[in-house]
Amino acid sequence: MLSIRNVFVNSIGTLFSRILGLFKNIIINFYFGLVDTFWGAFQIINTFRIFVGEGAINNVLIPNYKKVKEEKPEYLKFFVLKSFLFVSLISVILILILVSSSYYISKIALLGFSEDKIIESSWHINIMSSVVILISLQSFIATIQIAKRDNFIGFAYSPVVANIITILTIALFHNTGVFIISWSVVAGAVGMLIFQTILSLRDIGSVKIHLSLREIVRIDEYTKKFVLGFFSVIGLSLITQLNGIVSRFFGSFFEGVVAASTNAYIIIQVPIGIFSVAVSVVGLNALASYFSKKDTEGFLKLSSESIRLINFVIIPITIFSFIFSDEIIRLAYRDIPGIILGSEGKYNEQALKLTQDMFKSYSLSIYFLSISLLLVRISFSRGDTRTPVLSSIVGLIVNILANVFIFLIFRSPLGIPLSFLISSAVLAIYLTVVEYKNIGYKKVVLYEAIKLLIPSLVLSLTIKHILNTFDVDSYILSFTITSVSIIVFVLLFLLTSYAIRIETFTNMIKKVVR
């Protein structure tokens, strides 16, 4: 059964992290405006980080850890140590590639930038390159805690620590220039690793393994599976991140679009990170256990339960985000900084409008990305890396073709979020078709999704119609009206779900009451 407690722990931690991440963007916008050079470099660093960060480690290490624990528990410590050394080595190699080729990477990935902006981006890359190994080590330790102890605290709350340190660094030292943004990211990554290490001191201190160099370099059956799976996921991560790089590539030909699309994209990551990632990570851990024990019925039931849980939360969020897209962006990048900092700073009305236009298309991707996250975990839990890789290749091809078509025909930056939406939908459809046989109670899943869609639309449109009767010029009034609209929507949706007997919701209530 899917642990609601673990989902809750992840969701709360990610909620704080996403709120702080949003505020980090607000601080950057306030002091520096649309910093295309930093956000372009950050996307490149993020690509390299995800190669060996939580994506590869989490998806590959947990299933293999469970397998070794079931089949050869006496070898478990050796497996963990050798995996750790392998991840560290790959991280160092990637850092060397980043530092030695930062200018050429910027030149290729951000072709539309001027020479000065390319050089500035390359310096941002050099500064942030160490983040790759810092995040990798933190993710490895956090994943071991999940697999060994079913403990998600470090995984969920380390990013909170990172964002706090990043915000404080920018706020205290913004007068030193734009490169302080990159240094703040490094400081945050150091904080993450220290925090995760402190949480894991009991396990780290108890590890006493004596391995010869010969034993370390020997590729046994389990290490071989981990390494092959790791490289498969790196390939998957590369393809997935190329979608973002493609967007930055085309965005670099339009002033301010790289930063604006990043600011829009981080908003859709709030519900995805808070809930969809939590469900998929917790689900991966449980699904891998069912699969290793060959419990097919338990596996099918859990996959269905996880999808229904995501549907219950993400379907209404996706509908509301699309209908209230302008209000949400105004709340995040005008009202909140206006109330806290006195104004939007260098994030002017034109930048706000560009971000709103970007977000409208991005918002519809929330559901497709959420479902894809879970379906990919279902594949990984069975040791299947082929399906995620193939699906990402299909999504990447669709994204590139859509971007090229819209760029060449319309010369519009809005092709970036629209292409992303199309590729996200294709990715979700492909994964659904492939994993169809591994999902239980399909008719129930579909029926419940339809029941959730109708009230989400009706409530959103009704509240939007009422909202249009208000004048929202001031920061406080705009913030208040939008916030109240969100709260009212949530309450009415929950009441409606109870009234029309959404089983997922009633089951959650029963668990809470117990």
Side-chain angles (χ1 to χ4, degrees):
M1 181 177 290
L2 189 69
S3 172
I4 298 298
R5 177 187 175 277
N6 285 336
V7 171
F8 182 77
V9 167
N10 270 271
S11 296
I12 295 300
T14 310
L15 171 62
F16 289 135
S17 174
R18 298 298 178 178
I19 290 173
L20 290 168
L22 175 59
F23 191 68
K24 175 188 70 178
N25 279 38
I26 290 172
I27 289 289
I28 294 172
N29 294 336
F30 182 82
Y31 288 118
F32 302 101
L34 292 172
V35 197
D36 283 345
T37 54
F38 165 74
W39 289 117
F42 184 78
Q43 176 63 43
I44 293 168
I45 289 293
N46 205 43
T47 299
F48 278 72
R49 174 188 68 80
I50 288 176
F51 283 171
V52 286
E54 63 272 11
I57 293 172
N58 187 266
N59 289 328
V60 179
L61 186 58
I62 288 178
N64 280 283
Y65 184 98
K66 299 285 187 183
K67 187 176 180 63
V68 176
K69 186 178 179 180
E70 284 289 326
E71 296 180 356
K72 197 175 180 181
E74 71 277 7
Y75 184 73
L76 196 56
K77 287 186 178 181
F78 297 98
F79 170 75
V80 170
L81 177 61
K82 293 172 76 170
S83 301
F84 178 83
L85 293 174
F86 173 75
V87 169
S88 301
L89 175 62
I90 296 297
S91 299
V92 171
I93 292 172
L94 291 177
I95 290 174
L96 293 175
I97 292 172
L98 277 169
V99 173
S100 62
S101 311
S102 59
Y103 173 81
Y104 300 103
I105 293 172
S106 299
K107 185 83 172 177
I108 295 169
L110 305 166
L111 185 62
F113 279 6
S114 65
E115 182 67 16
D116 288 343
K117 292 180 76 173
I118 288 172
I119 292 172
E120 186 173 309
S121 292
S122 68
W123 276 106
H124 281 295
I125 291 173
N126 287 332
I127 293 169
M128 290 187 286
S129 60
S130 61
V131 168
V132 173
I133 193 166
L134 292 170
I135 297 295
S136 298
L137 298 182
Q138 180 271 328
S139 297
F140 190 96
I141 299 171
T143 301
I144 291 298
Q145 288 295 302
I146 293 172
K148 182 177 182 180
R149 301 188 179 280
D150 207 25
N151 184 347
F152 293 82
I153 299 294
F155 179 86
Y157 290 90
S158 291
V160 174
V161 174
N163 280 324
I164 291 173
I165 293 173
T166 300
I167 290 168
L168 290 175
T169 304
I170 295 172
L172 292 173
F173 303 106
H174 63 271
N175 288 329
T176 60
V178 72
F179 291 115
I180 192 61
I181 311 175
S182 293
W183 284 115
S184 72
V185 173
V186 176
V190 172
M192 281 182 77
L193 179 57
I194 293 173
F195 176 74
Q196 184 62 64
T197 302
I198 291 172
L199 291 179
S200 308
L201 280 176
R202 179 177 60 172
D203 289 324
I204 295 173
S206 65
V207 175
K208 294 179 181 179
I209 303 176
H210 300 287
L211 283 180
S212 64
L213 180 61
R214 182 178 179 180
E215 177 61 28
I216 290 174
V217 298
R218 185 176 70 85
I219 305 297
D220 57 83
E221 176 191 352
Y222 297 108
T223 306
K224 181 180 179 180
K225 287 182 178 179
F226 173 78
V227 171
L228 291 176
F230 192 88
F231 279 122
S232 295
V233 178
I234 284 181
L236 171 62
S237 299
L238 173 61
I239 296 165
T240 303
Q241 289 304 303
L242 278 175
N243 274 309
I245 292 176
V246 167
S247 298
R248 300 302 182 274
F249 174 85
F250 286 101
S252 67
F253 290 93
F254 304 93
E255 185 65 32
V257 166
V258 172
S261 62
T262 301
N263 283 322
Y265 185 73
I266 196 175
I267 301 295
I268 74 167
Q269 286 297 313
V270 172
I272 291 173
I274 291 172
F275 193 76
S276 305
V277 170
V279 172
S280 60
V281 171
V282 174
L284 170 64
N285 194 44
L287 286 165
S289 294
Y290 279 123
F291 188 78
S292 65
K293 295 173 182 176
K294 297 180 173 56
D295 185 350
T296 303
E297 180 59 29
F299 188 95
L300 292 174
K301 184 177 180 181
L302 182 58
S303 64
S304 173
E305 181 184 345
S306 301
I307 292 174
R308 291 170 66 188
L309 194 55
I310 281 185
N311 283 344
F312 177 73
V313 176
I314 298 301
I315 286 177
I317 287 177
T318 301
I319 299 299
F320 185 88
S321 297
F322 177 72
I323 294 173
F324 282 79
S325 57
D326 288 349
E327 288 80 5
I328 290 171
I329 294 300
R330 186 170 63 220
L331 175 74
Y333 294 117
R334 192 199 74 160
D335 299 341
I336 292 176
I339 293 170
I340 297 175
L341 303 170
S343 73
E344 306 99 294
K346 295 183 178 181
Y347 208 73
N348 57 31
E349 193 66 31
Q350 182 180 357
L352 183 69
K353 181 64 169 64
L354 183 58
T355 307
Q356 288 173 323
D357 292 340
M358 290 279 180
F359 181 71
K360 190 170 288 292
S361 294
Y362 271 131
S363 62
L364 290 175
S365 303
I366 295 173
Y367 180 75
F368 298 120
L369 291 174
S370 298
I371 287 297
S372 296
L373 273 172
L374 179 60
L375 293 174
V376 162
R377 256 62 174 209
I378 291 175
S379 297
F380 282 126
S381 68
R382 298 183 294 102
D384 175 13
T385 57
R386 182 172 176 269
T387 295
V389 171
L390 289 177
S391 63
S392 294
I393 291 174
V394 172
L396 175 63
I397 293 172
V398 172
N399 188 29
I400 292 174
L401 292 177
N403 264 296
V404 170
F405 177 78
I406 297 173
F407 180 77
L408 294 178
I409 302 299
F410 300 104
R411 290 276 176 172
S412 170
L414 297 182
I416 295 170
L418 184 58
S419 300
F420 184 82
L421 169 61
I422 295 170
S423 64
S424 299
V426 170
L427 177 64
I429 292 169
Y430 178 89
L431 285 167
T432 301
V433 171
V434 174
E435 291 296 342
Y436 188 77
K437 62 182 179 296
N438 297 310
I439 301 169
Y441 310 96
K442 301 175 187 66
K443 290 183 179 179
V444 176
V445 172
L446 180 60
Y447 176 63
E448 195 169 87
I450 295 171
K451 287 178 68 176
L452 291 167
L453 181 62
I454 295 171
S456 299
L457 278 168
V458 172
L459 290 172
S460 296
L461 290 171
T462 303
I463 296 172
K464 175 74 170 183
H465 178 72
I466 297 172
L467 184 64
N468 287 338
T469 62
F470 291 90
D471 183 8
V472 291
D473 283 341
S474 71
Y475 295 135
I476 294 178
L477 183 59
S478 176
F479 174 85
T480 302
I481 291 175
T482 305
S483 299
V484 169
S485 298
I486 294 171
I487 294 170
V488 169
F489 173 80
V490 171
L491 292 176
L492 289 177
F493 177 78
L494 293 177
L495 288 172
T496 305
S497 298
Y498 185 79
I500 63 176
R501 300 182 182 279
I502 299 295
E503 189 178 347
T504 298
F505 182 51
T506 56
N507 287 341
M508 288 173 62
I509 293 176
K510 290 176 183 177
K511 290 179 181 179
V512 172
V513 171
R514 289 174 189 170

